[in-house]
Amino acid sequence: MRVALCQFNMAWEDWRSNLRRAEQWVARADADLVILPEMFATGFVTDPERVAQPMSGEIVGEMQRWARRYGRAVAGSVIIEEGGRFFNRFLFVYPAGEIVQSDKRHLFSIGGEGKSFVAGDRRTIVEYGGLRFLLLVCYDLRFPVWSRCRNDYDAVIYVASWPESRRTVWRTLLRARAIENEAYVLGVNRTGSDPTAHYSGDSAAVGFRGETLTEAGAEETLLTVDLDPEALHAFREKFPAWRDADRFELHV
């Protein structure tokens, strides 16, 4: 299965311009699944009233249109308003337009995200192309319990607006999550700048042994990677560390 990681800059709070740019990346991608960064339509906005849309809005509608037009799944996070509440919502759109959603669990309170957004309360795993994907957003990467694989997923996707000042943490934790979970890890970050931060990109696909399969620098780019479920399953059978994992329950 081929996945495309789209790393690009975005215009601050200009969702129309960002949708035009995002479609160009989706159209260019020769892949079964195209992944866009966190809040790709607006930039990382912590005052969502100005830019939030409902699930019936144009941003979500455009994602569905891209998926149908180009015949590939499209994933990324957007700011959603529901009943006066705001969510940083990861959307996975199948080629037929069906949507699976997952709200960001760990809100970045240090940057003010926790003041205006509602945290998610469940992990979401989608099946596509013979693989099971866990859908997570940015700051979730720092919390290994929420990311823990209990033999229930094959790859984890982190879409992010992760600043350059903490790029070593980003690069290190992507590989740690791959190694400890014996899973593919796909990290899609933005590049460029907004009013509060500069972003160095460093989007990457990491193999289930922790090896770098492909990695970007700070430039806008489209990375593609082939994921092999048979190789993954063979490795898990050969080195089944997951069988010895601690049992636990999540309380949210």
Side-chain angles (χ1 to χ4, degrees):
M1 178 183 177
R2 177 161 293 184
V3 180
L5 285 58
C6 300
Q7 175 177 291
F8 58 95
N9 191 9
M10 53 206 67
W12 181 246
E13 297 187 354
D14 187 351
W15 61 269
R16 291 183 176 85
S17 173
N18 292 326
L19 287 181
R20 289 192 294 269
R21 297 208 64 218
E23 182 175 6
Q24 293 173 354
W25 292 102
V26 175
R28 286 176 51 194
D30 177 20
D32 305 295
L33 167 62
V34 183
I35 308 173
L36 307 169
E38 179 183 23
M39 295 188 184
F40 72 88
T42 58
F44 187 72
V45 176
T46 56
D47 296 318
E49 297 89 349
R50 298 195 300 268
V51 294
Q53 294 188 9
M55 288 291 290
S56 59
E58 294 183 55
I59 294 174
V60 177
E62 281 295 280
M63 293 181 72
Q64 291 178 298
R65 185 180 67 82
W66 302 338
R68 294 189 184 106
R69 178 176 181 181
Y70 301 108
R72 55 199 55 149
V74 178
S77 100
V78 300
I79 302 174
I80 294 294
E81 184 274 330
E82 283 184 350
R85 303 195 304 169
F86 301 98
F87 301 86
N88 185 347
R89 181 163 292 172
F90 192 136
L91 300 178
F92 188 103
V93 185
Y94 287 90
E98 176 189 358
I99 298 174
V100 177
Q101 65 188 49
S102 180
D103 295 328
K104 185 177 182 179
R105 169 62 183 171
H106 298 92
L107 302 174
F108 190 58
S109 58
I110 300 166
E113 187 181 20
K115 295 179 181 179
S116 301
F117 289 83
V118 178
D121 59 4
R122 61 185 176 89
R123 299 193 336 158
T124 301
I125 295 170
V126 302
E127 295 188 20
Y128 179 66
L131 290 163
R132 300 166 298 170
F133 294 89
L134 175 65
L135 311 180
L136 297 180
V137 181
C138 201
Y139 195 40
D140 288 331
L141 177 63
R142 282 184 176 265
F143 300 91
V145 174
W146 196 252
S147 301
R148 178 68 66 217
C149 181
R150 288 167 282 180
N151 204 31
D152 55 352
Y153 70 78
D154 306 306
V156 55
I157 304 173
Y158 296 98
V159 297
S161 292
W162 197 287
E164 181 181 35
S165 59
R166 294 184 287 277
R167 67 185 299 250
T168 299
V169 177
W170 164 261
R171 299 186 70 253
T172 301
L173 291 182
L174 288 177
R175 288 148 181 85
R177 298 292 89 86
I179 294 167
E180 69 194 11
N181 293 304
E182 296 185 323
Y184 288 109
V185 170
L186 307 170
V188 182
N189 194 24
R190 63 164 294 180
T191 189
S193 300
D194 64 22
T196 63
H198 181 72
Y199 304 90
S200 60
D202 299 310
S203 297
V206 184
F208 44 81
R209 296 181 178 87
E211 74 278 19
T212 301
L213 302 177
T214 184
E215 184 175 26
E219 71 285 352
E220 294 190 323
T221 190
L222 186 153
L223 303 174
T224 58
V225 62
D226 291 315
L227 307 184
D228 185 346
E230 293 184 2
L232 169 63
H233 297 156
F235 178 74
R236 285 180 171 175
E237 286 299 312
K238 180 180 179 180
F239 195 80
W242 57 271
R243 295 178 184 170
D244 301 318
D246 301 303
R247 295 182 180 273
F248 63 91
E249 294 182 2
L250 288 171
H251 298 279
V252 298

